[in-house]
């Protein structure tokens, strides 16, 4: 069944189908070129506008072209309307109808189905529905549904179409949970039985340790949506864990509790701990997490929402893709002059002994609806915050225009509900560190993160994670002291938490390494006396239980900044998992090196920053790395690229700095006999090296030889100027030119 919405002249027509809108034409049209539409269609204002909107939707990947038509899937309507296109709403009035929902049979029975009718005022109305659109049978008017009513109708029709065998108890009640929620939101009328029944799908399963009067210990589940005593009663009712519970509410009907398969598995583990006494009881009280070792369910441990268990993790970093799979640099366009530091890929050595880690939702195959919904809400913020100069920024310095824009962008994004963070991908030399520090100073001054701006400890600090070489040169501390008043007093005490300093924060009662005892061993109370903590990626990896811990249910960190974020670009590596286990209020990933190897590296950064935004790794790879879509336009749309509230910001030196034109001159240099001899020696070593590590070491020696032969034996500091000049044919030629 189809529904005609609009004709443009005699040859072009807009038609609603079951799953999509279609623009059809009996005349040949190049849909990407509005001027090829029939003249009589373009004579209408609505026709001209539609022609240009169709071309834009095709370019953005929100519509698909067939031989004689263009299809616009209903699933793309939210993105289309967020871009202020009018095609989906211009030719139908908003629906004025309400719904009256009845039923046939009882929920959970094979014959159960929903029966509904449209109502205007108190009178039933005969209406035909095609996707998002309704046509009133008597008068012929066409109306457009809102998103919630469309979802409700689709859910009821989809359920009614199931076979009796598919209408199992769990499926029936899970569907009813959504149907009733949408019905209440749109003010639909429900029959008495549907109205009295409610369903809870726990958002999370927590753990309560219950000691009875005799002193024995039992594990009891909790969830935010239920009063603890009620959940305990239905849990204890049966000897085994169940996926479906029914709870009587006197005078209020029945409450159904429907668990996911993973949650049912967690309850099964809790069933093992019932009425335990003696030494086993004390061990469980000290470390209840041991019961859930390896569980990939939804047990609420004292960590962020991505942590779902504790156990042995087989880290399997995603292998490198082929060149045809595309890279992040394509998203930004041709690479400009950068000179960025290149950080070697993380090397994962096989573990000789099984060690425990935090188990996270890795989003390799799928992403939970809560993350998808959160990421969609994070895309909706459109208001632009004005730039606010931090008062602590030294009066001797004024940010450059592009730096002010960067700070304003961060200030805007941090005020968007559900925004998890951003990626700052400016070229090296554009001033990323100063932009971030200016934002952080503003955040402390403004009270944007209240637990960071307390007048006294404990704080929820800022965590800055960077490669060790940047920590040893104190890049961040030096810019704080140089650019901010009173040598960076606004940042308070800055704690360098790595190396010997970090070891000094290990608690005296620590029972062993974190990956053995599987709990925090750092003194978190001491750490929270500081407003800024600086550490390296290896520390976060090796002390993940401490860094990811959530005291009193709150993340340890207000803001997490990751410098040279390509350090954790590889999916399913240990560093990547440790970074994803953190749960700050806001993240700023910072890298001036566009990820060159494959687009999936960028997916991994955003799965850390804003999980759900780019879907699962599998979906992302199929959608973008397959190269079926030659344009990355739809990926840019997802990232809100070049919008004031974009998820990433990328500026090249050539775009924002007044630099002289780059001039290159190639010089041909003949190696000296001594250099040739060293070169031959390295080649011989390459042919005999048996291990990949040995070959990698030799490649690094080749690089040093080509820079200056004396670098093979040290850093060259002990040599005089004449010795340095004499030792390199390249240096002699350069000085003579």
């Amino acid at each position: 069944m189809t529904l005609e919405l609009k004709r443009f002249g005699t040859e072009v027509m807009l038609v609603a189908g079951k799953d999509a809108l279609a623009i059809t034409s009996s005349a040949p049209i190049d849909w990407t070129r509005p001027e090829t539409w029939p003249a009589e269609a373009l004579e209408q204002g609505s026709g001209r506008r539609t022609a240009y909107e169709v071309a834009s939707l095709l370019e953005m990947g929100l519509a698909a072209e067939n031989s004689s038509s263009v299809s616009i899937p209903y699933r793309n309507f939210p993105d289309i309307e967020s871009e202020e296109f009018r095609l989906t709403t211009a030719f139908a009035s908003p629906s004025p109808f309400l719904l009256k929902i009845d039923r046939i049979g009882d929920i959970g029975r094979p014959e159960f189905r929903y029966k509904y009718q449209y109502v205007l005022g108190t009178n039933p109305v005969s209406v035909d529905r095609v996707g998002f659109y309704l046509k009133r049978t008597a008068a012929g008017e066409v109306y457009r549904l809102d998103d919630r009513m469309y979802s409700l109708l689709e859910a009821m029709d989809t359920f009614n179409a199931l076979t009796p065998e598919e209408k199992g108890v769990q499926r029936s009640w899970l569907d009813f949970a959504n149907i009733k929620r949408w019905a209440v939101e749109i003010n639909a009328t429900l029959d008495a039985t549907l109205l009295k029944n409610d369903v809870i799908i726990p958002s999370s399963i927590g753990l309560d340790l219950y000691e009875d009067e005799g002193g024995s210990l039992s594990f009891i589940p909790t969830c935010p949506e239920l009063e603890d005593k009620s959940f305990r009663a239905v849990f204890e009712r049966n000897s085994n864990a169940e996926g479906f519970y029914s709870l009587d509410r006197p005078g209020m009907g029945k409450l159904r509790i429907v668990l996911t398969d993973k949650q049912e598995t967690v309850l099964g583990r809790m069933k093992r701990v019932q009425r335990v006494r003696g030494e086993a009881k004390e061990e469980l009280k000290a470390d209840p997490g041991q019961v859930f070792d390896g569980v990939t369910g939804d047990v609420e441990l004292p960590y962020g929402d991505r942590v779902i268990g504790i156990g042995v993790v087989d880290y399997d970093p995603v292998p490198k893709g082929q060149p045809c799979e595309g890279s992040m640099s394509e998203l930004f366009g041709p690479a400009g002059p950068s000179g960025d530091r290149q950080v070697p890929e993380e090397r994962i050595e096989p573990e000789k002994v099984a060690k425990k880690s935090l188990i996270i939702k890795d989003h390799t195959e799928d992403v939970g609806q809560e993350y998808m919904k959160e990421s969609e809400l994070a895309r909706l913020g459109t208001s632009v915050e004005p730039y606010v100069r931090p008062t602590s920024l030294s009066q001797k310095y004024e940010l450059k225009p592009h730096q002010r824009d960067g700070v304003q962008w961060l200030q805007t994004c941090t005020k968007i509900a559900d925004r998890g963070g951003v990626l700052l991908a400016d070229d090296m030399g554009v001033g990323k560190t100063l932009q971030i520090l200016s934002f952080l100073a503003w955040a402390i001054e403004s009270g944007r993160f209240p637990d960071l701006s307390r007048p006294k400890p404990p704080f929820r600090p800022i965590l800055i994670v960077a490669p060790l070489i940047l920590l040893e040169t104190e890049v961040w501390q030096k810019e704080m002291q140089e650019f901010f008043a009173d040598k960076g007093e606004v940042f308070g005490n800055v704690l360098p938490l790595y190396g010997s300093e970090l070891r000094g924060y290990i608690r005296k009662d620590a029972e062993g390494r974190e990956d053995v005892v599987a709990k925090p061993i750092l003194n978190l109370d001491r750490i929270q006396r500081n407003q800024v903590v600086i550490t390296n990626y290896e520390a976060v990896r090796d002390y993940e239980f401490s860094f990811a811990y959530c005291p009193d249910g709150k993340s340890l960190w207000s803001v997490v900044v990751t410098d040279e974020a390509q350090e954790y670009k590889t999916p399913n590596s240990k560093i990547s998992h440790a970074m994803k286990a953190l749960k700050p209020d806001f993240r700023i990933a910072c890298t001036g090196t566009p990820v060159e190897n494959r687009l999936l590296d960028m997916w991994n950064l955003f799965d850390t920053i804003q999980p759900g935004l780019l879907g699962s790794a599998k979906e992302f790879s199929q959608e973008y790395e397959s190269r079926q879509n030659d344009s990355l336009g739809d990926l840019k749309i997802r990232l809100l690229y070049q919008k004031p509230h974009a998820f990433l910001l990328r500026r090249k030196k050539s775009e924002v700095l007044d630099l002289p034109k780059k001039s290159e001159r190639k010089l041909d240099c003949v190696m000296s006999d001594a250099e040739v001899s060293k070169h031959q020696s390295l080649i011989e070593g390459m042919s005999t090296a048996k291990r990949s590590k040995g070959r990698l070491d030799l490649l690094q020696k080749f690089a040093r030889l080509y820079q200056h032969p004396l670098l093979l034996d040290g850093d060259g500091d002990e040599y005089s100027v004449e010795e340095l000049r004499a030792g390199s044919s390249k240096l002699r030629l350069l000085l003579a030119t």
Side-chain angles (χ1 to χ4, degrees), residues 196-223:
K196 286 184 178 180
N197 279 279
D198 282 311
V199 180
I200 285 178
I201 304 171
S203 58
S204 63
I205 296 294
L207 173 65
D208 186 20
L209 278 62
Y210 173 72
E211 289 189 62
D212 62 22
E213 294 179 356
S216 62
L217 176 72
S218 297
F219 278 8
I220 301 297
T222 65
C223 82

Side-chain angles (χ1 to χ4, degrees), residues 537 562 565-570 575-576 579 589 604-605 608-609:
Y537 287 98
T562 50
Q566 66 271 16
E567 285 271 343
Y568 60 94
K569 68 184 181 183
T570 305
I575 285 181
S576 172
M579 295 307 302
N604 200 56
L605 293 182
T608 309
I609 297 166

Side-chain angles (χ1 to χ4, degrees), residues 340 424-436 590-592:
D340 284 287
L424 178 58
D426 283 346
D427 262 354
M428 181 182 177
V430 172
K432 297 187 294 295
T433 303
L434 180 55
Q435 291 176 68
I436 293 172
C590 177
T591 174

